[in-house]
């Protein structure tokens, strides 16, 4: 594999991850604004687009007639592309939709909420319209897109992505939400497939040859259950008694399970009111505390925490403790060090709770409840095969339902497609 | 990778595929009967189970105390395993549940129905209870399971799988629904991951080291869109006018799209009543027909079809045609040659339609409607990035919703886990 392609795709992946984090919490109307502005940019820029396409067609003399036809743009096809973006804008926002909700006998209220996958890589042939569809659908679904079109359509793709990015800019979104692999090197495909963690899913679109080539490099999909580096965030507006109860339960009920808390974060506003009592509760329960300077200044029995403590799943009676600046500071710490498994906020402030639940990108986010509820049985799933930290297919507890796929059954009455 | 491990895992994969096909259409009560019978077998066989576990414990002197504890079985733990199987039996059957349904303006009625994934490979550490949970959950969700537990728990796993298989036998299900990798070779893990197509998903369950090792060998997941080798089956009870209309539309509306029909299957009961007219319609519309001996005997303009014709996605004005023995014969042909993309049955017989819709394992199955409806726009998805022939994550048209994941939001009131 060429070093260049790997370096380039790696950089695109890093940009995409940052853009994806912002896009995941972008409201639907903003994404729709970007889509409609992109449609306008496609229409207004049609001459530039047709010029770029003409350059591609010059280099495409070797293509079969059917492939050359798919590559070719004209005024009508450009209008269809613009219309397609407006159609996507008109769809309901899939992100944030409550897919299911239920209450358990202990009063816990569960919601399953749709979230973006993150970074989607799309590999396709020399079809300019796929650039528009793929870019538009990824934007709508809150995913950052890395596009790798066929090399014959390179100039057309560049011009189309430019129009899509005009739309992003008009809505105040980063241009890195939609990126084109800027090399014609085939190694970019292999690089994309090997970037597990940086790219969340690869979608090949095209003929049998292309798909087969992608699948040849793919492996059997995996539902991964990585470590549970779970956080408890004690907000300044936490109820002290609830916070004491939940903090000790989250750490000490069973220390060896993946839902056990490993780090406790205190809001600066909770340092005097909550921190001393809660740390004393933990130490009294037999827990070792490793704290930052502020924690150690308050609690003499705490040992100083090193950088590696924020990254450690102790699975033992040890907890790291740190003071952060409010809910924003907590989210920053959790995204930097967490494993996107299970995190809880303790607060009576509904606005802070909502912000935390919406912004923390973990399989399970809780409000005023213990992280030890991360368990299929506690969810009412009966049993589980594990807790998925993947976003693809199954996230959170993997019970019988998560081991299923689906199919579409369609009934007509001699119905034909016009 | 050791040749032995590959050969063994390949054979397990083939057995599992056959078992999965049967399990996918096994009614819920039969699966539950197997689960309850397995619970009884675990209870009744507890002495044998404890003996096997004692042999494992003898060889486990080198294990850390916490790992040895996870490996160890006693009467109580055996009872918990039996109870776990009964709990799984008591859950509702996830397979066949209608997840969503809607009607389009043209009258087409859509249902999204839960189906099993197929073959699930589970890789875990030396924890006997995981053998029970994983085997039980796979059975409940209609999946064939290939289990690869830690080598220290080998004898316990063998004894537990034997009990699970007693349950399968009591319900008349093949024992190959649950298989244990019979070698301690680590290469079995790599072999399982490389068997794309034979194994539908791998679930690693265990400590950080195990998961990391599995993920190191994994690649970025792919939503694959393989070819559309779509079939039209004309049942003896088809309405002739509907069948003529749909057959010509399915093949000739656009021949180059993945939803275009490539093979037409005639029920033996439709050979005189339907076949001549429909073949004449197709030929009149400009389609070349490649038929089996019975087709060629009826229609002089048909050319003889070779074996490769049943495997060919023409994407052109060509169709292969064959006479089959009723709906069973049609399903047999479709599973042997199809690409599990889109297939339709034309019939006025509701029982035949239901059987076809339930048994044909394709992303889209239609009744009295054209295969050319295989399109995100026609489904009401607005746009699509492709049609997935994968079962993992997204199946059928991939629109904005299919590019999302989900998370669980849980609200409590200082709620702790007892």
């Amino acid at each position: 594999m060429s070093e260049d392609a790997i370096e380039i795709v790696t950089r695109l992946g890093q940009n995409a991850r940052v853009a994806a984090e912002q896009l995941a919490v972008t409201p639907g109307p903003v994404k729709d604004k970007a889509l409609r502005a992109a449609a306008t940019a496609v229409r207004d820029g049609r001459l530039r687009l047709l010029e770029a396409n003409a350059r591609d067609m010059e280099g495409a003399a070797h293509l079969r007639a059917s492939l050359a036809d798919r590559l070719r743009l004209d005024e009508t096809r450009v209008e269809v592309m613009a219309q397609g973006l407006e159609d996507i804008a008109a769809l309901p926002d899939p992100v944030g939709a409550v897919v299911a909700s239920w209450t358990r006998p202990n009063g816990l209220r569960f919601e399953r909420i749709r979230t973006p996958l993150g970074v989607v890589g799309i590999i396709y042939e020399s079809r300019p319209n796929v650039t528009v569809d793929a870019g538009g659908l990824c934007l709508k679904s809150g995913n950052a897109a890395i596009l790798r079109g066929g090399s014959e359509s390179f100039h057309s793709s560049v011009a189309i992505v430019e129009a899509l990015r005009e739309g992003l800019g008009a809505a105040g979104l980063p241009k890195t939400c939609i990126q084109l692999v800027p090399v014609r090197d085939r190694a970019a495909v292999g690089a994309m497939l090997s970037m597990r963690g940086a790219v969340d899913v690869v979608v090949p679109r095209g003929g049998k040859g292309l798909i087969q080539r992608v699948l040849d490099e793919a492996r059997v999909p995996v539902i991964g259950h990585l470590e549970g580096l779970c956080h408890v965030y004690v907000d300044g507006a936490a109820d002290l008694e609830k916070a004491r109860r939940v903090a000790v339960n989250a750490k000490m009920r069973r220390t060896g399970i993946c839902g056990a808390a490993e780090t406790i974060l205190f809001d600066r506003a909770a340092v005097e009111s909550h921190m001393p009592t809660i740390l004393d509760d933990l130490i009294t329960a037999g827990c070792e505390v490793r704290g930052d300077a502020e924690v150690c200044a308050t609690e003499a029995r705490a040992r100083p925490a090193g950088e590696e403590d924020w990254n450690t799943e102790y699975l033992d009676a040890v907890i790291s403790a740190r003071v952060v600046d409010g809910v924003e500071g907590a989210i920053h710490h959790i995204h930097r060090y967490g494993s996107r498994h299970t995190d809880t906020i303790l607060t009576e402030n509904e606005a802070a709770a909502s912000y935390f639940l919406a912004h923390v990108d973990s399989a399970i986010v809780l409000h005023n409840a213990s992280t030890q509820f991360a368990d299929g049985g506690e969810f009412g799933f009966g049993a589980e095969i594990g807790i998925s930290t993947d976003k693809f297919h199954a996230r959170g507890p993997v019970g019988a339902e998560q081991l299923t796929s689906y199919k579409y059954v369609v009934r007509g009455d001699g119905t034909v497609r016009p």
Side-chain angles (χ1 to χ4, degrees), chain A:
Chain A
M1 204 180 291
S2 103
E3 280 303 318
D4 261 14
I6 296 177
E7 255 176 51
I8 289 168
V9 176
T10 302
R11 185 168 42 74
L12 295 185
Q14 290 161 346
N15 296 343
R17 184 59 68 200
V18 174
E21 195 160 331
Q22 178 173 348
L23 206 48
V25 291
T26 297
V30 176
K31 296 184 286 190
D32 295 341
K33 183 181 175 186
L35 286 163
R36 281 190 297 265
T40 304
V42 165
R43 271 196 199 97
D44 293 352
R46 63 186 174 282
L47 289 183
R48 205 177 54 211
L49 242 155
L50 293 175
E51 266 170 38
N53 186 248
R55 282 175 66 191
D56 284 334
M57 291 301 292
E58 276 169 32
H62 63 290
L63 285 184
R64 277 215 317 269
S66 62
L67 294 182
D69 178 62
R70 286 173 165 195
L71 172 57
R72 193 177 53 80
L73 288 179
D74 57 25
E75 294 252 350
T76 312
R77 288 182 174 184
V78 171
E79 175 52 29
V80 168
M81 294 197 307
Q83 186 64 50
L85 289 167
E86 286 166 348
D87 288 349
I88 294 173
L91 293 171
D93 186 3
V95 176
V98 179
V99 184
S101 64
W102 65 97
T103 302
R104 294 284 297 163
N106 60 3
L108 279 184
R109 284 166 293 141
F110 288 77
E111 284 182 340
R112 180 154 57 204
I113 290 187
R114 239 184 251 298
T115 62
L117 286 166
V119 176
V120 178
I122 296 143
I123 300 169
Y124 51 104
E125 290 172 329
S126 294
R127 297 179 60 179
N129 67 312
V130 176
T131 305
V132 169
D133 287 356
L137 282 171
C138 284
L139 173 53
K140 181 78 186 189
S141 51
N143 294 296
I146 300 179
L147 307 173
R148 205 278 179 188
S151 53
E152 293 88 355
S153 64
F154 188 72
H155 298 105
S156 310
S157 298
V158 168
I160 292 168
V161 167
E162 215 164 289
L164 293 171
R165 288 176 150 207
E166 262 186 61
L168 290 167
L173 290 169
K175 299 201 165 183
T176 44
C177 289
I178 301 177
Q179 298 179 101
L180 190 69
V181 178
V183 284
R184 298 183 179 214
D185 190 340
R186 278 207 166 189
V189 174
M192 223 189 267
L193 280 167
S194 64
M195 291 173 66
R196 206 180 146 101
V199 176
D200 292 291
V201 59
V202 165
V203 184
R205 170 162 175 171
K208 199 173 172 175
L210 174 96
I211 310 273
Q212 202 53 61
R213 191 155 55 82
V214 170
L215 292 184
D216 284 348
E217 296 205 40
R219 306 297 298 267
V220 174
V222 171
I223 298 182
H225 163 154
L226 277 172
E227 60 189 339
L229 227 155
C230 306
H231 297 77
V232 173
Y233 166 62
V234 183
D235 190 56
D239 176 282
L240 180 59
E241 289 315 307
K242 289 182 197 170
R244 292 175 66 179
R245 200 158 67 228
V246 171
V248 172
N249 184 267
K251 176 70 248 183
M252 297 301 289
R253 176 184 160 274
R254 281 182 65 189
T255 57
I257 66 175
C258 63
E262 305 295 3
T263 300
I264 186 163
L265 302 170
F266 291 97
D267 185 359
R268 194 167 300 286
V271 166
E272 288 184 24
S273 50
H274 299 68
M275 195 165 80
T277 325
I278 291 170
L279 290 178
D280 183 61
D281 286 349
L282 285 164
I283 292 167
T284 305
C287 186
E288 176 186 329
V289 173
R290 301 194 190 162
D292 69 356
E294 289 177 85
V295 167
C296 292
T298 298
E299 173 51 66
R301 290 166 293 176
R303 291 173 42 186
E307 177 71 12
E308 74 284 3
D309 280 295
W310 315 119
N311 282 314
T312 302
E313 188 189 25
Y314 302 114
L315 296 174
D316 205 345
V318 183
I319 198 164
S320 54
R322 175 175 227 173
V323 175
V324 295
D325 286 317
V327 67
E328 290 270 14
I331 292 168
H332 185 258
H333 180 98
I334 290 169
H335 281 177
R336 175 146 180 213
Y337 297 105
S339 61
R340 303 184 183 231
H341 189 292
T342 300
D343 302 289
T344 190
I345 179 173
L346 308 178
T347 188
E348 298 303 303
N349 177 340
E350 280 299 327
S354 297
Y355 191 86
F356 184 93
L357 297 174
H359 283 73
V360 172
D361 180 32
S362 297
I364 304 168
V365 285
L366 307 108
H367 175 205
N368 284 346
S370 169
T371 55
Q372 300 241 353
F373 283 111
D375 175 273
E378 293 297 325
F379 273 59
F381 292 180
E384 58 160 58
I385 220 168
I387 308 262
S388 167
T389 50
D390 272 348
K391 289 185 181 177
F392 193 68
H393 191 75
R395 200 177 187 199
V398 180
E401 191 177 302
Q402 287 70 34
L403 292 173
T404 62
S405 179
Y406 54 79
K407 71 175 171 187
Y408 293 98
V409 171
V410 188
R411 294 184 173 85
D413 186 35
T415 319
V416 297
R417 187 170 169 192

